[in-house]
Protein backbone atom coordinates (compact mmCIF):
# COMPACT_ATOMS: atom_id res chain seq x y z
CA UNK A 1 0.00 0.00 0.00
CA UNK A 2 1.32 3.45 -0.91
CA UNK A 3 2.20 5.69 2.04
CA UNK A 4 0.65 8.74 0.38
CA UNK A 5 -2.64 7.17 -0.55
CA UNK A 6 -3.97 5.71 2.67
CA UNK A 7 -6.36 3.29 0.92
CA UNK A 8 -4.70 2.82 -2.47
CA UNK A 9 -2.80 -0.42 -2.93
CA UNK A 10 -1.94 -0.29 -6.64
CA UNK A 11 1.41 0.80 -7.99
CA UNK A 12 0.64 2.93 -11.06
CA UNK A 13 3.36 3.37 -13.67
CA UNK A 14 3.27 6.35 -16.00
CA UNK A 15 4.26 6.41 -19.68
CA UNK A 16 7.83 7.34 -18.65
CA UNK A 17 8.14 4.04 -16.80
CA UNK A 18 8.26 5.68 -13.36
CA UNK A 19 5.86 4.93 -10.55
CA UNK A 20 3.41 7.80 -10.14
CA UNK A 21 2.97 10.07 -7.19
CA UNK A 22 -0.41 10.31 -5.50
CA UNK A 23 -1.49 13.93 -5.52
CA UNK A 24 -4.45 15.94 -4.34
CA UNK A 25 -6.38 18.24 -6.64
CA UNK A 26 -6.62 21.87 -5.61
CA UNK A 27 -8.84 23.07 -8.46
CA UNK A 28 -12.34 24.42 -7.84
CA UNK A 29 -14.17 21.64 -9.70
CA UNK A 30 -12.46 18.76 -7.84
CA UNK A 31 -11.13 20.07 -4.53
CA UNK A 32 -9.43 17.39 -2.46
CA UNK A 33 -9.86 14.68 -5.12
CA UNK A 34 -6.89 12.31 -5.32
CA UNK A 35 -5.10 11.39 -8.55
CA UNK A 36 -1.99 9.70 -9.91
CA UNK A 37 0.45 11.92 -11.78
CA UNK A 38 3.84 11.60 -13.42
CA UNK A 39 6.68 12.47 -11.05
CA UNK A 40 8.41 14.58 -13.68
CA UNK A 41 6.97 17.94 -14.73
CA UNK A 42 5.82 17.90 -18.36
CA UNK A 43 8.13 20.78 -19.29
CA UNK A 44 11.04 18.82 -17.78
CA UNK A 45 10.59 15.70 -19.90
CA UNK A 46 7.68 14.16 -18.02
CA UNK A 47 4.91 12.39 -19.92
CA UNK A 48 2.03 14.28 -18.27
CA UNK A 49 0.38 11.06 -17.10
CA UNK A 50 -2.79 11.71 -15.12
CA UNK A 51 -5.43 9.36 -13.68
CA UNK A 52 -8.13 10.07 -11.08
CA UNK A 53 -8.23 7.71 -8.12
CA UNK A 54 -11.89 6.83 -8.13
CA UNK A 55 -13.49 5.70 -4.92
CA UNK A 56 -15.29 2.40 -4.72
CA UNK A 57 -18.96 2.41 -5.83
CA UNK A 58 -20.03 1.93 -2.21
CA UNK A 59 -18.29 5.10 -1.15
CA UNK A 60 -19.78 7.06 -4.05
CA UNK A 61 -23.25 5.75 -3.16
CA UNK A 62 -22.65 6.73 0.46
CA UNK A 63 -21.63 10.24 -0.60
CA UNK A 64 -24.78 10.59 -2.73
CA UNK A 65 -26.96 9.33 0.13
CA UNK A 66 -25.22 11.66 2.54
CA UNK A 67 -25.92 14.61 0.26
CA UNK A 68 -29.62 13.66 0.08
CA UNK A 69 -29.79 13.28 3.86
CA UNK A 70 -28.11 16.66 4.35
CA UNK A 71 -30.60 18.29 1.96
CA UNK A 72 -33.50 16.64 3.81
CA UNK A 73 -32.01 17.80 7.12
CA UNK A 74 -31.82 21.37 5.84
CA UNK A 75 -35.44 21.18 4.62
CA UNK A 76 -36.56 19.85 8.01
CA UNK A 77 -34.60 22.59 9.82
CA UNK A 78 -36.37 25.19 7.70
CA UNK A 79 -39.78 23.62 8.40
CA UNK A 80 -38.98 23.44 12.13
CA UNK A 81 -38.13 27.13 12.15
CA UNK A 82 -41.39 27.95 10.36
CA UNK A 83 -43.35 25.81 12.83
CA UNK A 84 -41.49 27.42 15.74
CA UNK A 85 -42.44 30.86 14.43
CA UNK A 86 -46.09 29.77 14.04
CA UNK A 87 -46.03 28.30 17.55
CA UNK A 88 -44.68 31.57 18.98
CA UNK A 89 -47.39 33.50 17.11
CA UNK A 90 -50.10 31.19 18.45
CA UNK A 91 -48.71 31.52 22.00
CA UNK A 92 -48.92 35.31 21.67
CA UNK A 93 -52.51 35.11 20.38
CA UNK A 94 -53.44 32.77 23.25
CA UNK A 95 -51.94 35.23 25.73
CA UNK A 96 -53.99 38.06 24.19
CA UNK A 97 -57.18 35.93 24.28
CA UNK A 98 -56.58 35.06 27.95
CA UNK A 99 -56.12 38.75 28.77
CA UNK A 100 -59.32 39.57 26.88
CA UNK A 101 -61.14 36.75 28.74
CA UNK A 102 -59.92 38.03 32.10
CA UNK A 103 -61.03 41.56 31.21
CA UNK A 104 -64.49 40.30 30.11
CA UNK A 105 -64.76 38.21 33.27
CA UNK A 106 -63.99 41.27 35.41
CA UNK A 107 -66.62 43.32 33.54
CA UNK A 108 -69.16 40.52 34.01
CA UNK A 109 -68.40 40.32 37.74
CA UNK A 110 -68.89 44.10 38.09
CA UNK A 111 -72.20 43.82 36.21
CA UNK A 112 -73.32 41.02 38.54
CA UNK A 113 -72.45 43.18 41.57
CA UNK A 114 -74.40 46.14 40.13
CA UNK A 115 -77.44 43.94 39.40
CA UNK A 116 -77.28 42.38 42.87
CA UNK A 117 -76.99 45.85 44.45
CA UNK A 118 -79.95 47.00 42.40
CA UNK A 119 -82.03 43.95 43.46
CA UNK A 120 -81.00 44.36 47.08
CA UNK A 121 -81.96 48.05 46.99
CA UNK A 122 -85.30 47.13 45.40
CA UNK A 123 -85.96 44.55 48.15
CA UNK A 124 -84.96 46.91 50.93
CA UNK A 125 -86.64 50.04 49.60
CA UNK A 126 -89.42 48.17 47.97
Amino acid sequence: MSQNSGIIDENVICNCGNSCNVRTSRIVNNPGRRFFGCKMPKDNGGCGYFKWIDLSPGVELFKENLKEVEEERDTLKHKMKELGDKFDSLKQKLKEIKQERDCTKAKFNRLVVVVLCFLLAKIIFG
Side-chain angles (χ1 to χ4, degrees):
M1 181 151 66
S2 169
Q3 275 185 331
N4 295 334
S5 67
I7 60 170
I8 303 157
D9 60 3
E10 60 181 290
N11 189 15
V12 176
I13 306 297
C14 71
N15 299 327
C16 300
N18 297 317
S19 70
C20 293
N21 288 339
V22 175
R23 300 177 185 205
T24 303
S25 171
R26 308 233 187 278
I27 63 172
V28 176
N29 292 342
N30 292 294
R33 190 171 177 193
R34 308 293 300 271
F35 65 94
F36 291 108
C38 181
K39 288 181 181 180
M40 298 289 294
K42 199 169 188 178
D43 60 352
N44 206 19
C47 64
Y49 182 85
F50 171 88
K51 179 183 174 189
W52 287 117
I53 300 171
D54 291 320
L55 300 173
S56 69
V59 173
E60 288 299 323
L61 181 61
F62 173 78
K63 286 171 70 176
E64 289 173 21
N65 289 341
L66 179 61
K67 184 177 179 183
E68 290 173 10
V69 168
E70 288 172 339
E71 288 171 357
E72 186 176 351
R73 177 206 58 206
D74 293 344
T75 299
L76 291 172
K77 274 182 168 178
H78 180 72
K79 286 181 180 179
M80 280 181 58
K81 183 178 179 345
E82 286 178 349
L83 290 173
D85 292 345
K86 285 182 182 179
F87 180 72
D88 291 342
S89 175
L90 289 172
K91 275 189 349 187
Q92 181 62 35
K93 285 181 183 179
L94 180 61
K95 184 178 177 182
E96 291 168 4
I97 289 170
K98 283 181 178 179
Q99 288 174 343
E100 187 178 323
R101 178 201 63 195
D102 292 344
C103 184
T104 302
K105 202 184 225 183
K107 288 178 183 177
F108 178 76
N109 288 340
R110 284 193 296 268
L111 180 63
V112 167
V113 169
V114 169
V115 169
L116 287 175
C117 288
F118 176 74
L119 289 175
L120 186 60
K122 189 169 183 163
I123 292 172
I124 294 175
F125 300 112

